[in-house]
Amino acid sequence: MTVLETLLMASVLSAVPLMLAAAGEAIGQRSGLLNLGVEGVMLAGALAGFVAVESSGSFVLGCGAGLLAGGVIGLLFGVAATRLAASQIVLGLGVALAGQGGTGFLFRERYGLNQPLLSSGMSRPFDHLDGVPVVGPMLFGQKWFVYVAWVAVLLMGLILRTSRVGLVLKATGDSPFAADAAGVSVTTVRILAAVVGQALAGLGGAALAIVEVGFFSPGMTVGIGFIAIAIAMLGRQDPLRIAALALAFGVLRGLGAALQLTSIDIRSEFLEMIPYVGVIMLVVVMGRRARLPASLGLAYHRGARGE
Amino acid sequence: MWFRRAFSVLACLGILVPMVVIAGTGVTAREAVDRVAIITPASRSNQGWDQQGVDTLVAVGEERGIEVEVVENAGYDDITPILRDLADDGVDLIICHAAGYQTVCPEFAASDGVPVVVTENPGAVAEGLVADVETQAQEVAYLAGVMAALETNTGTVAVVVSGEPPTWNYMTAGFAQGVADTDPGVEFLYSVIGEAAYDDAPNARRTTETVIAAGADIVFGMGDGATFGMIQAIREHNADAGDGEQVRFIDVIGDKSDSDAADLLLTSVLFDYTGAFSQFIDDLDAGTFGSVYTMNLENEGVRLLDPPIEVSEETMARVDEAAQGILDGEIEVPAISDAGELSDFLDALTEGAA
């Protein structure tokens, strides 16, 4: 495989955890919930997924464990943010910190000072086609989960754009009073959005641990959860835009590693800046049209309008 | 009259002598060290820099009956509150186990009077307060470079680092020099994962995949927690390659020959802090604390791991020969700590090879 083929293939793979987490966050944001704790949710999903695969050998179970871990945190977050009307900012930061500390503690409790590694057992269903030059490995050399994740996010985008589910979600985020008047239970929708959204973030964490790197280590998300929040906002809570942005971020990050191997004499610090400068440029270009749901981060109190 | 003078002299001596004795014992008869703390920026289970430091101190503590307090995951922010807590707890010595603590720990020692050990900062050494440990691993990295140049099949070797701290830079320069001295025709690749990407395993994996794609079949990785990303990239490559070209890994600091990485490990530049930590505790007991301890090939503070996988006798003989050359002073290995100087050095080596 050439450097370019490796770069493209790795970019598609590395976009998956970011894309799933950002798409999950987008669902919550559409409903009016802002969860700053995606980093912690991803870590919880990563640990749950890793433990499940390490003990059972099943990647499907690992994905399920990641979904479950994220979903449970989403349920707690959703209930606290809606029924208890707790501050979403404080809750989110708490989830982030608890996720970082809690997963480190649990990992140490289970594995002590060992660092188990998973074998590369996940199959590649189309690898007989990856001989196609340049784009072959990127399109056909991926593990099965990568295809599932991309298809799931694209389908989710279509559903949110075209179905009543998407409309209801948007209404609860943009105008919860109108949604309530139309017979929609804002609290229920938001709790469900939190569960589904954070389950996806948990799945993103599991993907990082069991699909991308093949092990768990405390703090291994190294900021991906926070980047996911920014990408969800930049992508205007649209999974299709989010998928494109996650891929662009992955390509730009891989570009830094590839450029170091060329004869171009640039210090590594500048190359490391490439994806972030790229995101800033996207903010400048796309930020003008970016809009957030009107009630994002605000608790909904029935009958409180105008008070 | 003479009686009164003699009495006055004796009285003065009677006061002065005990004062001198008391003052003297105050310096030399410091209570024995019974509690030592170590602060690490990352997890003590990363099988790298942090774990090696903690494990060694715990072993030294058990051997000497000293209580060891471990503060891990302290990060690279201001650790003054942690230092203050440890001082309040009454520890006798604090080992600040990161180059990133070079400034804060000497400042704390000066203000609070608690002795500290710093890393790679000999200029901060102060009598009774600050000692320094230097990990001059470039000599052993040179030997790893000799081995890599002789063992590569593709003619390309790579260094992947999780940052550019002095410790990594020393080893990169030594390794590159070892490769160039052994076979100038071997292509040398150098890739930095990030500025302080010590735990960035996903990025480490991508970076390693890139250097493998560029032809490297031996990767010298310095990463701490990120190292496992490199190892996984190589494991996956080797599994996919089947009977094809296998990539081998050269590790640093800890011994992974009993881990899942054993089958791809060519060798490792091992660090052993036992001598350094023991020396500092002895110095503190003796009232002579405040020295620089250099871990090097000669005192076996750093050494090369015997290859867990098969390496030719000829290669091992060349490595032994190079080791003797270093000990005899016939081979001089550059000690480069600064990232800018390292970049210039690697450019010069590449141009020389061309």
Side-chain angles (χ1 to χ4, degrees):
Chain A
M1 224 188 305
T2 64
V3 172
L4 178 61
E5 287 169 343
T6 303
L7 165 68
L8 293 173
M9 186 179 171
S11 301
V12 171
L13 172 62
S14 69
V16 168
L18 180 60
M19 177 180 69
L20 288 171
E25 173 68 7
I27 291 178
Q29 288 185 8
R30 277 197 173 217
S31 76
L33 293 176
L34 176 65
N35 182 7
L36 297 180
V38 181
E39 184 89 351
V41 180
M42 287 187 78
L43 282 168
L47 179 61
F50 173 78
V51 171
V53 176
E54 196 266 335
S55 48
S56 72
S58 165
F59 285 98
V60 176
L61 271 183
C63 295
L67 277 168
L68 185 66
V72 169
I73 296 173
L75 179 65
L76 295 173
F77 179 87
V79 170
T82 54
R83 295 219 182 269
L84 305 177
S87 162
Q88 294 176 25
I89 303 292
V90 175
L91 277 176
L93 293 175
V95 169
L97 292 171
Q100 288 179 0
T103 53
F105 170 76
L106 292 172
F107 180 76
R108 179 72 54 76
E109 282 295 301
R110 182 171 172 85
Y111 297 105
L113 299 180
N114 297 320
Q115 180 64 72
L117 304 174
L118 300 178
S119 62
S120 55
M122 191 173 267
S123 61
R124 300 168 192 268
F126 308 116
D127 64 351
H128 53 287
L129 298 171
D130 71 0
V132 177
V134 185
V135 294
M138 174 183 75
L139 294 178
F140 305 115
Q142 305 286 357
K143 297 168 182 171
W144 64 259
F145 181 84
V146 175
Y147 302 105
V148 172
W150 278 90
V151 169
V153 169
L154 297 180
L155 274 178
M156 201 177 96
L158 288 176
I159 290 169
L160 290 181
R161 278 187 181 187
T162 57
S163 73
R164 185 171 184 275
V165 173
L167 195 63
V168 168
L169 208 57
K170 197 169 185 318
T172 53
D174 272 340
S175 180
F177 298 98
D180 195 359
V184 172
S185 169
V186 173
T187 300
T188 305
V189 169
R190 284 187 172 180
I191 290 174
L192 282 174
V195 171
V196 174
Q198 296 315 302
L200 273 178
L203 183 62
L208 181 70
I210 65 178
V211 183
E212 190 175 355
V213 297
F215 66 94
F216 177 86
S217 67
M220 69 183 300
T221 43
V222 287
I224 296 174
F226 294 105
I227 296 167
I229 296 169
I231 284 186
M233 290 178 165
L234 271 179
R236 287 184 268 169
Q237 295 81 42
D238 178 2
L240 301 178
R241 289 197 186 95
I242 286 167
L245 282 169
L247 184 61
F249 189 80
V251 170
L252 289 172
R253 195 153 57 169
L255 200 60
L259 282 174
Q260 289 187 59
L261 303 180
T262 65
S263 55
I264 304 167
D265 190 16
I266 311 174
R267 287 295 302 272
S268 61
E269 291 90 339
F270 292 101
L271 296 174
E272 199 187 343
M273 286 162 54
I274 289 176
Y276 303 98
V277 171
V279 168
I280 291 169
M281 288 170 69
L282 286 172
V283 169
V284 172
V285 175
M286 298 174 67
R288 290 181 200 164
R289 288 179 294 167
R291 58 173 293 278
L292 297 172
S295 67
L296 182 65
L298 303 175
Y300 174 66
H301 301 282
R302 195 173 213 182
R305 194 178 200 183
E307 286 180 5
Chain B
M1 199 65 181
W2 66 270
F3 177 78
R4 287 176 65 187
R5 281 185 183 162
F7 180 80
S8 301
V9 169
L10 282 173
C12 288
L13 284 173
I15 294 167
L16 285 173
V17 169
M19 281 175 70
V20 169
V21 170
I22 289 167
T25 53
V27 171
T28 57
R30 181 190 172 98
E31 284 184 19
V33 175
D34 56 16
R35 289 187 75 199
V36 179
I38 183 167
I39 306 175
T40 64
S43 166
R44 65 180 291 186
S45 63
N46 65 2
Q47 295 192 15
W49 173 272
D50 303 78
Q51 182 168 352
Q52 195 71 1
V54 172
D55 287 355
T56 306
L57 185 62
V58 168
V60 168
E62 280 173 2
E63 191 186 316
R64 292 167 163 248
I66 293 171
E67 188 185 337
V68 172
E69 194 151 336
V70 178
V71 181
E72 59 179 318
N73 290 315
Y76 292 97
D77 294 332
D78 185 5
I79 58 165
T80 304
I82 297 171
L83 293 166
R84 192 142 289 138
D85 270 354
L86 291 170
D88 291 345
D89 282 352
V91 299
D92 300 303
L93 174 67
I94 301 173
I95 295 170
C96 301
H97 194 56
Y101 303 152
Q102 283 177 346
T103 309
V104 64
C105 287
E107 284 176 358
F108 178 78
S111 67
D112 285 53
V114 179
V116 299
V117 174
V118 295
T119 301
E120 313 285 6
N121 189 9
V125 167
E127 196 180 330
L129 283 178
V130 182
D132 173 63
V133 59
E134 296 284 301
T135 47
Q136 301 268 315
Q138 69 275 6
E139 293 168 344
V140 179
Y142 180 94
L143 302 180
V146 171
M147 189 183 285
L150 293 169
E151 287 294 309
T152 176
N153 294 318
T154 60
T156 303
V157 300
V159 167
V160 177
V161 290
S162 57
E164 293 187 302
T167 312
W168 285 182
N169 294 341
Y170 281 132
M171 284 193 279
T172 301
F175 182 82
Q177 185 72 61
V179 170
D181 286 356
T182 307
D183 185 350
V186 171
E187 189 182 0
F188 177 83
L189 305 176
Y190 178 62
S191 201
V192 184
I193 301 164
E195 195 181 340
Y198 303 109
D199 290 316
D200 193 349
N203 222 358
R205 181 184 172 127
R206 282 189 289 274
T207 306
T208 308
E209 285 172 344
T210 308
V211 297
I212 292 171
D217 67 342
I218 292 177
V219 177
F220 182 27
M222 291 165 251
D224 287 335
T227 298
F228 292 101
M230 303 178 202
I231 288 170
Q232 285 295 66
I234 296 172
R235 285 179 89 204
E236 196 150 306
H237 168 87
N238 289 353
D240 289 346
D243 295 333
E245 192 60 62
Q246 297 288 297
V247 175
R248 285 166 291 173
F249 186 63
I250 299 177
D251 190 36
V252 290
I253 301 178
D255 183 355
K256 294 190 179 68
S257 53
D258 287 333
S259 73
D260 291 341
D263 56 341
L264 50 89
L265 205 58
L266 179 60
T267 185
S268 184
V269 178
L270 297 177
F271 285 21
D272 185 352
Y273 301 98
T274 308
F277 292 167
S278 299
Q279 178 74 59
F280 294 137
I281 292 168
D282 287 342
D283 286 352
L284 205 55
D285 277 336
T288 57
F289 184 79
S291 60
V292 175
Y293 187 99
T294 303
M295 291 162 54
N296 56 27
L297 185 63
E298 193 173 7
N299 60 24
E300 295 191 334
V302 281
R303 65 183 175 84
L304 204 61
L305 174 74
D306 289 335
I309 55 178
E310 197 175 329
V311 171
S312 74
E313 284 182 17
E314 188 196 341
T315 297
M316 293 313 296
R318 290 281 298 274
V319 170
D320 290 342
E321 192 182 310
Q324 198 54 53
I326 292 170
L327 291 172
D328 293 345
E330 290 164 9
I331 297 173
E332 277 195 30
V333 183
I336 298 173
S337 63
D338 179 71
E341 285 178 34
L342 176 66
S343 178
D344 295 340
F345 173 76
L346 295 179
D347 287 345
L349 270 189
T350 308
E351 283 164 18

